[in-house]
Amino acid sequence: MPKVTMTVNGKSVSADVETRTLLVEFIRQHLRLTGTHVGCDTSQCGACVVHAGGRAIKACTTLAVQWDGAEITTIEGLADGDTLHPMQEAFREHHGLQCGFCTPGMIMAAVHMVERHGGVPDEKTIRHELEGNLCRCTGYHNIVKAIAAGAEAMQGGKRVAAE
Ligand code: FES
Ligand code: FES
């Protein structure tokens, strides 16, 4: 079995894995980082989004061996100790979740969205960019508000007040 070594949430990890091991299996089963969810296994729901090599990717449709040597961030790596990442805080403040199953993937996608846009994306852009993240509970309204607020907070601005 090939050995893979990655930096996950700032820590170097290695393991022998089967070549068919998916990145999401490596993260959940080998590393026990279960905040990354599996909702579909067919690259549709976005529950499994992590940051890998500086991009937000769906970890259910890529192999662990493809990321040998990469830097990976999962939802567990976003907070700074007890201090939530501004996007996590915005989801909490704006009630951007109900059951929470989609939330880790939504937040990881949202952080990367803001990093790519380098500012606060408008509502149309946020909705368009969320095409790959499905939520069965919320109707998206508060998720969109949370992402706008989180984006503003990430720029160092004042957070949009919760309504
Ligand atoms: Fe990866 Fe649904 S589990 S997109
Ligand atoms: Fe339940 Fe999104 S909060 S699926």
Side-chain angles (χ1 to χ4, degrees):
M1 284 199 290
K3 186 186 198 80
V4 291
T5 302
M6 303 173 197
T7 303
V8 179
N9 300 335
K11 281 207 302 211
S12 179
V13 295
S14 332
D16 295 322
V17 296
E18 293 187 60
T19 44
R20 65 179 177 175
T21 302
L22 296 168
L23 180 61
V24 74
E25 291 170 343
F26 182 70
I27 289 169
R28 287 179 55 85
Q29 290 159 26
H30 290 256
L31 305 181
R32 300 279 173 206
L33 294 171
T34 53
T36 301
H37 293 162
V38 178
C40 68
D41 249 347
T42 50
S43 205
Q44 294 182 58
C45 75
C48 62
V49 172
V50 298
H51 295 176
R55 287 185 295 136
I57 62 151
K58 290 179 173 174
C60 71
T61 38
T62 188
L63 298 169
V65 291
Q66 291 175 261
W67 297 97
D68 189 38
E71 296 227 359
I72 310 275
T73 305
T74 70
I75 190 71
E76 289 89 346
L78 271 196
D80 181 8
D82 289 339
T83 306
L84 293 178
H85 184 282
M87 191 60 75
Q88 292 174 304
E89 183 62 33
F91 268 69
R92 190 190 65 76
E93 216 172 274
H94 292 267
H95 310 292
L97 64 145
Q98 286 183 27
C99 79
F101 191 84
C102 69
T103 312
M106 286 282 181
I107 289 176
M108 297 309 281
V111 169
H112 184 57
M113 180 194 312
V114 174
E115 286 170 354
R116 270 186 300 110
H117 285 278
V120 182
D122 62 23
E123 180 179 343
K124 194 170 162 213
T125 305
I126 294 172
R127 287 184 181 274
H128 176 70
E129 295 254 352
L130 286 182
E131 265 181 3
N133 290 80
L134 302 182
C135 176
R136 303 292 292 266
C137 307
T138 64
Y140 296 89
H141 182 69
N142 285 359
I143 291 175
V144 173
K145 278 202 307 187
I147 292 175
E152 192 159 338
M154 282 173 68
Q155 314 305 314
K158 202 168 163 295
R159 221 168 282 142
V160 177
E163 286 166 21

